[in-house]
Amino acid sequence: MTDRLRTLLGAFRLTVRAAAPENVLSRLSRDRVRFWDLRRDDDFTVTLTVRRRDIDRAAQLIARTQGEITERTALGLPVVTRRLRRRWAFFAAMALVLASMQVVTDFVWHVDVAGNDRVPAEAIRRELAELGVGFGTWGFDIVPQDLKNRMLAEIPELEWLTVVRSGGLATAVVREREPTPEVVDRRLVTNLVAVRDCLITDVEALSGQAVCAPGDTVRAGELLISGWMDLELCTRATRALGEVYGRTWHRREAVTPAETVCQTYEGETHRRYALVLGRTRINFYGDSGNWGQGCDKIVTYHTLTLPGGYELPVTLVEETAVERETEARAVTPAEAEALLTGAAEAAVTGELVAGQVLQRTADVRRAGGVYRLEGTWECREMVAREVPAIQTESEGTTWQNESSTPSGSSS
């Protein structure tokens, strides 16, 4: 038993004054009276702690060795209990708190999600709530096996799920289903053709026969990689695979008004509040909720969060509305150029499957009440697109499919 535990169970702190304190300590040790926390105050005074049951015997031994106890202090639970024995309300409240803690841990107060990557945690929590696992759920009602079967039917992207409960925290541990890789059907006979006019810069044929080379100029729709491979004695049909890069030129036109409407004045600020408990919203205002025209609305959510970052479904909603006034303002040429150029370049890059913009030439002019952009974007992009192949071999040519054994029959 440690000295701290002995003090907690009941002890006395004694201050002893004697002509020879060493004799007092030797007599206590010889008679097996345990003491601890010894402190030498001066040449004639020591302070020590003895057990509650040894206090009378220690006092006798100290007196026999010509010592005197000048100060005695009771320590431990017996002292605290004696002071609180008439405070029945305190003990009743403590009992109620302890009972509540035991009951509260049997309910779910927060649902966490672990193991997800592609499926959002909120989507998993929402489906769990629909199946009865959420804030306030009695923990013993959760059946992981039944819950797993129902969740996998609702969210096909999940391969496995279980719910582990630790007190008021329920953790949904999931494993996501691996995406099925795209299967390339080599039985199809396809060609790769150019999606737009371009100057070929790179050709990489993985399957099929390339009919173009770097430096060639092709038109949109022209053949780049053929699915029909000429092997001299026969023609093999396959699915053309590869990448063909070329320099392309995209011409774009865009317009924007020469005037815009902007906010110029901040008026009065209005605030109102609402409380969301689970799926129930309690509004602390009596109107319809419409602020009217000319107001900027800002909504702030204050969610009750436990230590550790666990959120409870209790949220205070603060809505702030600021009255605004607007006026027409002329758009400067620099603003119009930045707006139109950014929009046009975003449209060009959105059309690129792969590649990059090399350079751009754009001209922005004002025409009447609008700014007009006319420009050309030079790009390096992947221009090959897959289309079904059509057999064009002449009569008497033999061919074979790549997925079958060679055949010598006439076509």
Side-chain angles (χ1 to χ4, degrees), residues 251-293:
R251 184 170 179 81
R252 288 290 181 271
E253 294 184 2
V255 295
T256 187
E259 289 188 353
T260 186
V261 177
C262 62
Q263 297 175 339
T264 60
Y265 170 75
E266 292 188 7
E268 296 183 2
T269 300
H270 307 277
R271 288 184 176 85
R272 62 189 183 191
Y273 300 90
L275 183 65
V276 179
L277 301 175
R279 300 184 179 181
T280 303
R281 179 185 175 103
I282 304 173
N283 296 326
F284 300 129
Y285 49 86
D287 56 12
S288 61
N290 296 324
W291 291 102
Q293 299 294 329

Short mmCIF file of all heavy atoms in Angstrom, two decimals, residues 251-293:
data_model
loop_
_atom_site.label_atom_id
_atom_site.label_comp_id
_atom_site.label_asym_id
_atom_site.label_seq_id
_atom_site.Cartn_x
_atom_site.Cartn_y
_atom_site.Cartn_z
N ARG A 251 -10.36 29.00 -82.41
CA ARG A 251 -10.78 30.39 -82.54
C ARG A 251 -12.00 30.62 -81.66
O ARG A 251 -12.96 29.85 -81.69
CB ARG A 251 -11.11 30.72 -83.99
CG ARG A 251 -11.47 32.19 -84.21
CD ARG A 251 -11.54 32.53 -85.68
NE ARG A 251 -11.91 33.94 -85.87
CZ ARG A 251 -11.07 34.94 -85.78
NH1 ARG A 251 -9.79 34.70 -85.49
NH2 ARG A 251 -11.46 36.18 -85.98
N ARG A 252 -11.97 31.68 -80.87
CA ARG A 252 -13.04 31.98 -79.93
C ARG A 252 -13.48 33.43 -80.05
O ARG A 252 -12.68 34.32 -80.31
CB ARG A 252 -12.58 31.71 -78.49
CG ARG A 252 -12.44 30.25 -78.14
CD ARG A 252 -13.81 29.59 -78.07
NE ARG A 252 -13.73 28.19 -77.71
CZ ARG A 252 -13.58 27.20 -78.57
NH1 ARG A 252 -13.50 27.49 -79.87
NH2 ARG A 252 -13.52 25.95 -78.17
N GLU A 253 -14.80 33.62 -79.83
CA GLU A 253 -15.39 34.95 -79.75
C GLU A 253 -16.23 35.00 -78.48
O GLU A 253 -16.92 34.04 -78.14
CB GLU A 253 -16.24 35.26 -80.98
CG GLU A 253 -15.45 35.36 -82.27
CD GLU A 253 -16.34 35.77 -83.45
OE1 GLU A 253 -17.56 36.00 -83.20
OE2 GLU A 253 -15.84 35.87 -84.58
N ALA A 254 -16.18 36.13 -77.79
CA ALA A 254 -16.95 36.30 -76.56
C ALA A 254 -17.31 37.76 -76.40
O ALA A 254 -16.59 38.65 -76.88
CB ALA A 254 -16.16 35.80 -75.35
N VAL A 255 -18.43 38.05 -75.75
CA VAL A 255 -18.88 39.42 -75.52
C VAL A 255 -19.30 39.57 -74.06
O VAL A 255 -19.66 38.59 -73.40
CB VAL A 255 -20.05 39.80 -76.44
CG1 VAL A 255 -19.64 39.82 -77.89
CG2 VAL A 255 -21.24 38.86 -76.22
N THR A 256 -19.21 40.80 -73.55
CA THR A 256 -19.68 41.13 -72.21
C THR A 256 -20.19 42.55 -72.20
O THR A 256 -19.68 43.40 -72.96
CB THR A 256 -18.54 40.96 -71.17
OG1 THR A 256 -19.09 41.13 -69.86
CG2 THR A 256 -17.44 41.98 -71.37
N PRO A 257 -21.22 42.88 -71.41
CA PRO A 257 -21.74 44.25 -71.38
C PRO A 257 -20.68 45.24 -70.92
O PRO A 257 -19.79 44.92 -70.13
CB PRO A 257 -22.91 44.17 -70.40
CG PRO A 257 -23.28 42.72 -70.35
CD PRO A 257 -22.01 41.97 -70.57
N ALA A 258 -20.81 46.47 -71.39
CA ALA A 258 -19.87 47.53 -71.02
C ALA A 258 -20.22 48.16 -69.68
O ALA A 258 -19.44 48.96 -69.16
CB ALA A 258 -19.82 48.60 -72.10
N GLU A 259 -21.39 47.82 -69.13
CA GLU A 259 -21.78 48.32 -67.81
C GLU A 259 -22.18 47.15 -66.93
O GLU A 259 -22.66 46.12 -67.41
CB GLU A 259 -22.97 49.29 -67.92
CG GLU A 259 -22.61 50.63 -68.54
CD GLU A 259 -23.76 51.62 -68.46
OE1 GLU A 259 -24.86 51.19 -68.04
OE2 GLU A 259 -23.56 52.79 -68.80
N THR A 260 -21.95 47.31 -65.63
CA THR A 260 -22.32 46.29 -64.66
C THR A 260 -22.98 46.94 -63.46
O THR A 260 -22.85 48.15 -63.25
CB THR A 260 -21.07 45.50 -64.20
OG1 THR A 260 -21.48 44.43 -63.36
CG2 THR A 260 -20.11 46.39 -63.45
N VAL A 261 -23.70 46.14 -62.69
CA VAL A 261 -24.38 46.63 -61.49
C VAL A 261 -23.57 46.19 -60.28
O VAL A 261 -23.23 45.01 -60.14
CB VAL A 261 -25.82 46.07 -61.41
CG1 VAL A 261 -26.48 46.52 -60.12
CG2 VAL A 261 -26.63 46.52 -62.61
N CYS A 262 -23.24 47.14 -59.40
CA CYS A 262 -22.43 46.83 -58.23
C CYS A 262 -23.08 47.42 -56.98
O CYS A 262 -23.92 48.32 -57.07
CB CYS A 262 -21.01 47.36 -58.39
SG CYS A 262 -20.92 49.14 -58.56
N GLN A 263 -22.70 46.91 -55.83
CA GLN A 263 -23.20 47.40 -54.55
C GLN A 263 -22.35 48.56 -54.07
O GLN A 263 -21.12 48.51 -54.13
CB GLN A 263 -23.18 46.28 -53.51
CG GLN A 263 -24.08 45.11 -53.88
CD GLN A 263 -23.96 43.95 -52.91
OE1 GLN A 263 -22.96 43.85 -52.21
NE2 GLN A 263 -24.96 43.09 -52.89
N THR A 264 -23.02 49.60 -53.58
CA THR A 264 -22.29 50.81 -53.21
C THR A 264 -22.50 51.21 -51.76
O THR A 264 -21.72 51.99 -51.22
CB THR A 264 -22.74 51.98 -54.10
OG1 THR A 264 -24.15 52.19 -53.93
CG2 THR A 264 -22.44 51.67 -55.56
N TYR A 265 -23.54 50.71 -51.07
CA TYR A 265 -23.87 51.21 -49.74
C TYR A 265 -24.30 50.07 -48.84
O TYR A 265 -25.04 49.19 -49.27
CB TYR A 265 -24.99 52.25 -49.83
CG TYR A 265 -25.56 52.67 -48.49
CD1 TYR A 265 -24.85 53.53 -47.65
CD2 TYR A 265 -26.80 52.19 -48.07
CE1 TYR A 265 -25.38 53.90 -46.42
CE2 TYR A 265 -27.33 52.56 -46.84
CZ TYR A 265 -26.61 53.41 -46.02
OH TYR A 265 -27.12 53.77 -44.80
N GLU A 266 -23.81 50.09 -47.63
CA GLU A 266 -24.23 49.12 -46.62
C GLU A 266 -25.19 49.79 -45.65
O GLU A 266 -24.80 50.76 -44.98
CB GLU A 266 -23.03 48.55 -45.86
CG GLU A 266 -22.13 47.68 -46.71
CD GLU A 266 -21.06 47.00 -45.88
OE1 GLU A 266 -21.12 47.12 -44.65
OE2 GLU A 266 -20.19 46.33 -46.46
N GLY A 267 -26.40 49.27 -45.57
CA GLY A 267 -27.40 49.85 -44.69
C GLY A 267 -27.46 49.14 -43.36
O GLY A 267 -26.44 48.71 -42.81
N GLU A 268 -28.66 48.99 -42.83
CA GLU A 268 -28.83 48.37 -41.52
C GLU A 268 -28.54 46.87 -41.58
O GLU A 268 -28.69 46.23 -42.62
CB GLU A 268 -30.26 48.59 -41.02
CG GLU A 268 -30.60 50.06 -40.78
CD GLU A 268 -32.00 50.21 -40.22
OE1 GLU A 268 -32.67 49.17 -40.01
OE2 GLU A 268 -32.43 51.36 -40.01
N THR A 269 -28.13 46.36 -40.43
CA THR A 269 -27.84 44.94 -40.28
C THR A 269 -28.89 44.30 -39.38
O THR A 269 -29.18 44.82 -38.29
CB THR A 269 -26.44 44.72 -39.69
OG1 THR A 269 -25.47 45.31 -40.55
CG2 THR A 269 -26.14 43.23 -39.53
N HIS A 270 -29.47 43.20 -39.84
CA HIS A 270 -30.51 42.49 -39.09
C HIS A 270 -30.02 41.07 -38.79
O HIS A 270 -29.39 40.43 -39.64
CB HIS A 270 -31.82 42.43 -39.88
CG HIS A 270 -32.30 43.78 -40.35
ND1 HIS A 270 -33.00 44.64 -39.55
CD2 HIS A 270 -32.13 44.41 -41.54
CE1 HIS A 270 -33.30 45.74 -40.23
NE2 HIS A 270 -32.76 45.63 -41.45
N ARG A 271 -30.35 40.60 -37.60
CA ARG A 271 -29.98 39.25 -37.20
C ARG A 271 -31.19 38.51 -36.62
O ARG A 271 -32.04 39.13 -35.99
CB ARG A 271 -28.86 39.25 -36.16
CG ARG A 271 -27.50 39.65 -36.70
CD ARG A 271 -26.42 39.52 -35.64
NE ARG A 271 -25.09 39.81 -36.16
CZ ARG A 271 -24.58 41.03 -36.26
NH1 ARG A 271 -25.28 42.09 -35.85
NH2 ARG A 271 -23.36 41.19 -36.75
N ARG A 272 -31.20 37.21 -36.86
CA ARG A 272 -32.22 36.36 -36.26
C ARG A 272 -31.62 34.98 -36.06
O ARG A 272 -30.61 34.62 -36.70
CB ARG A 272 -33.46 36.30 -37.13
CG ARG A 272 -33.25 35.70 -38.50
CD ARG A 272 -34.49 35.87 -39.35
NE ARG A 272 -34.34 35.24 -40.65
CZ ARG A 272 -35.18 35.43 -41.66
NH1 ARG A 272 -36.22 36.24 -41.50
NH2 ARG A 272 -35.00 34.81 -42.81
N TYR A 273 -32.25 34.19 -35.19
CA TYR A 273 -31.65 32.93 -34.76
C TYR A 273 -32.67 31.81 -34.85
O TYR A 273 -33.89 32.04 -34.79
CB TYR A 273 -31.12 33.05 -33.33
CG TYR A 273 -30.05 34.11 -33.17
CD1 TYR A 273 -30.40 35.42 -32.84
CD2 TYR A 273 -28.72 33.79 -33.35
CE1 TYR A 273 -29.42 36.40 -32.70
CE2 TYR A 273 -27.73 34.76 -33.20
CZ TYR A 273 -28.08 36.06 -32.88
OH TYR A 273 -27.11 37.01 -32.75
N ALA A 274 -32.13 30.61 -34.97
CA ALA A 274 -32.95 29.39 -34.97
C ALA A 274 -32.13 28.28 -34.33
O ALA A 274 -30.89 28.31 -34.33
CB ALA A 274 -33.38 29.00 -36.38
N LEU A 275 -32.82 27.29 -33.78
CA LEU A 275 -32.18 26.15 -33.13
C LEU A 275 -32.60 24.88 -33.85
O LEU A 275 -33.79 24.64 -34.06
CB LEU A 275 -32.56 26.08 -31.66
CG LEU A 275 -31.89 24.98 -30.83
CD1 LEU A 275 -30.39 25.22 -30.74
CD2 LEU A 275 -32.50 24.92 -29.42
N VAL A 276 -31.59 24.07 -34.25
CA VAL A 276 -31.85 22.82 -34.94
C VAL A 276 -31.51 21.68 -34.00
O VAL A 276 -30.35 21.53 -33.57
CB VAL A 276 -31.02 22.71 -36.24
CG1 VAL A 276 -31.28 21.38 -36.92
CG2 VAL A 276 -31.35 23.86 -37.17
N LEU A 277 -32.50 20.88 -33.64
CA LEU A 277 -32.34 19.71 -32.78
C LEU A 277 -32.62 18.47 -33.62
O LEU A 277 -33.79 18.15 -33.89
CB LEU A 277 -33.28 19.76 -31.58
CG LEU A 277 -33.12 20.98 -30.65
CD1 LEU A 277 -34.20 20.96 -29.58
CD2 LEU A 277 -31.74 20.98 -30.01
N GLY A 278 -31.56 17.79 -34.04
CA GLY A 278 -31.76 16.65 -34.93
C GLY A 278 -32.32 17.11 -36.27
O GLY A 278 -31.69 17.85 -37.01
N ARG A 279 -33.56 16.72 -36.57
CA ARG A 279 -34.22 17.15 -37.80
C ARG A 279 -35.29 18.20 -37.55
O ARG A 279 -36.04 18.56 -38.47
CB ARG A 279 -34.85 15.94 -38.50
CG ARG A 279 -33.84 14.87 -38.89
CD ARG A 279 -34.52 13.75 -39.66
NE ARG A 279 -33.56 12.73 -40.05
CZ ARG A 279 -33.89 11.65 -40.77
NH1 ARG A 279 -35.15 11.47 -41.15
NH2 ARG A 279 -32.97 10.77 -41.09
N THR A 280 -35.38 18.67 -36.34
CA THR A 280 -36.40 19.66 -35.99
C THR A 280 -35.76 21.04 -35.90
O THR A 280 -34.73 21.20 -35.23
CB THR A 280 -37.06 19.30 -34.64
OG1 THR A 280 -37.61 17.98 -34.74
CG2 THR A 280 -38.16 20.30 -34.31
N ARG A 281 -36.35 22.00 -36.55
CA ARG A 281 -35.85 23.38 -36.53
C ARG A 281 -36.84 24.24 -35.77
O ARG A 281 -38.05 24.23 -36.05
CB ARG A 281 -35.67 23.91 -37.96
CG ARG A 281 -35.16 25.36 -38.03
CD ARG A 281 -35.13 25.86 -39.45
NE ARG A 281 -34.78 27.26 -39.53
CZ ARG A 281 -33.59 27.73 -39.88
NH1 ARG A 281 -32.63 26.89 -40.21
NH2 ARG A 281 -33.35 29.03 -39.93
N ILE A 282 -36.32 25.01 -34.82
CA ILE A 282 -37.13 25.92 -34.01
C ILE A 282 -36.68 27.34 -34.34
O ILE A 282 -35.55 27.73 -34.05
CB ILE A 282 -36.97 25.64 -32.50
CG1 ILE A 282 -37.33 24.18 -32.20
CG2 ILE A 282 -37.83 26.59 -31.69
CD1 ILE A 282 -37.05 23.77 -30.76
N ASN A 283 -37.57 28.12 -34.96
CA ASN A 283 -37.25 29.50 -35.33
C ASN A 283 -37.62 30.44 -34.20
O ASN A 283 -38.72 30.37 -33.66
CB ASN A 283 -37.98 29.90 -36.61
CG ASN A 283 -37.54 29.09 -37.81
OD1 ASN A 283 -36.38 28.71 -37.92
ND2 ASN A 283 -38.46 28.83 -38.73
N PHE A 284 -36.69 31.33 -33.87
CA PHE A 284 -36.94 32.34 -32.84
C PHE A 284 -37.37 33.66 -33.47
O PHE A 284 -36.94 34.74 -33.04
CB PHE A 284 -35.69 32.54 -31.98
CG PHE A 284 -35.24 31.29 -31.27
CD1 PHE A 284 -33.93 30.86 -31.35
CD2 PHE A 284 -36.14 30.53 -30.53
CE1 PHE A 284 -33.52 29.71 -30.70
CE2 PHE A 284 -35.75 29.39 -29.88
CZ PHE A 284 -34.44 28.97 -29.97
N TYR A 285 -38.16 33.57 -34.51
CA TYR A 285 -38.71 34.77 -35.15
C TYR A 285 -40.07 34.39 -35.72
O TYR A 285 -40.34 33.22 -36.00
CB TYR A 285 -37.78 35.31 -36.24
CG TYR A 285 -37.29 34.29 -37.23
CD1 TYR A 285 -38.03 33.96 -38.36
CD2 TYR A 285 -36.08 33.62 -37.02
CE1 TYR A 285 -37.57 33.02 -39.26
CE2 TYR A 285 -35.62 32.67 -37.92
CZ TYR A 285 -36.38 32.39 -39.04
OH TYR A 285 -35.93 31.45 -39.93
N GLY A 286 -40.90 35.39 -35.90
CA GLY A 286 -42.28 35.10 -36.26
C GLY A 286 -42.64 35.39 -37.69
O GLY A 286 -43.76 35.10 -38.12
N ASP A 287 -41.72 35.98 -38.49
CA ASP A 287 -42.08 36.31 -39.87
C ASP A 287 -41.90 35.10 -40.77
O ASP A 287 -41.58 34.00 -40.33
CB ASP A 287 -41.25 37.50 -40.36
CG ASP A 287 -39.76 37.24 -40.24
OD1 ASP A 287 -39.39 36.08 -39.98
OD2 ASP A 287 -38.98 38.19 -40.37
N SER A 288 -42.08 35.34 -42.07
CA SER A 288 -42.04 34.24 -43.03
C SER A 288 -40.63 33.78 -43.34
O SER A 288 -40.44 32.72 -43.93
CB SER A 288 -42.72 34.66 -44.34
OG SER A 288 -42.02 35.76 -44.92
N GLY A 289 -39.63 34.59 -43.00
CA GLY A 289 -38.25 34.21 -43.28
C GLY A 289 -37.66 34.88 -44.49
O GLY A 289 -36.49 34.69 -44.80
N ASN A 290 -38.45 35.68 -45.23
CA ASN A 290 -37.95 36.39 -46.39
C ASN A 290 -37.42 37.76 -45.98
O ASN A 290 -38.12 38.55 -45.34
CB ASN A 290 -39.06 36.57 -47.43
CG ASN A 290 -39.53 35.23 -47.99
OD1 ASN A 290 -38.73 34.32 -48.16
ND2 ASN A 290 -40.82 35.12 -48.24
N TRP A 291 -36.20 38.06 -46.37
CA TRP A 291 -35.58 39.34 -46.01
C TRP A 291 -36.01 40.45 -46.95
O TRP A 291 -35.91 41.63 -46.63
CB TRP A 291 -34.06 39.22 -46.03
CG TRP A 291 -33.50 38.37 -44.96
CD1 TRP A 291 -33.05 37.09 -45.09
CD2 TRP A 291 -33.34 38.70 -43.58
NE1 TRP A 291 -32.61 36.60 -43.89
CE2 TRP A 291 -32.78 37.58 -42.94
CE3 TRP A 291 -33.62 39.84 -42.82
CZ2 TRP A 291 -32.48 37.56 -41.58
CZ3 TRP A 291 -33.32 39.81 -41.47
CH2 TRP A 291 -32.76 38.69 -40.86
N GLY A 292 -36.44 40.11 -48.12
CA GLY A 292 -36.79 41.14 -49.08
C GLY A 292 -35.66 41.37 -50.08
O GLY A 292 -34.59 40.77 -50.02
N GLN A 293 -35.91 42.29 -51.03
CA GLN A 293 -34.95 42.58 -52.07
C GLN A 293 -33.83 43.46 -51.54
O GLN A 293 -34.01 44.26 -50.63
CB GLN A 293 -35.65 43.28 -53.25
CG GLN A 293 -36.74 42.46 -53.90
CD GLN A 293 -36.20 41.21 -54.58
OE1 GLN A 293 -35.07 41.22 -55.08
NE2 GLN A 293 -36.99 40.15 -54.61
#
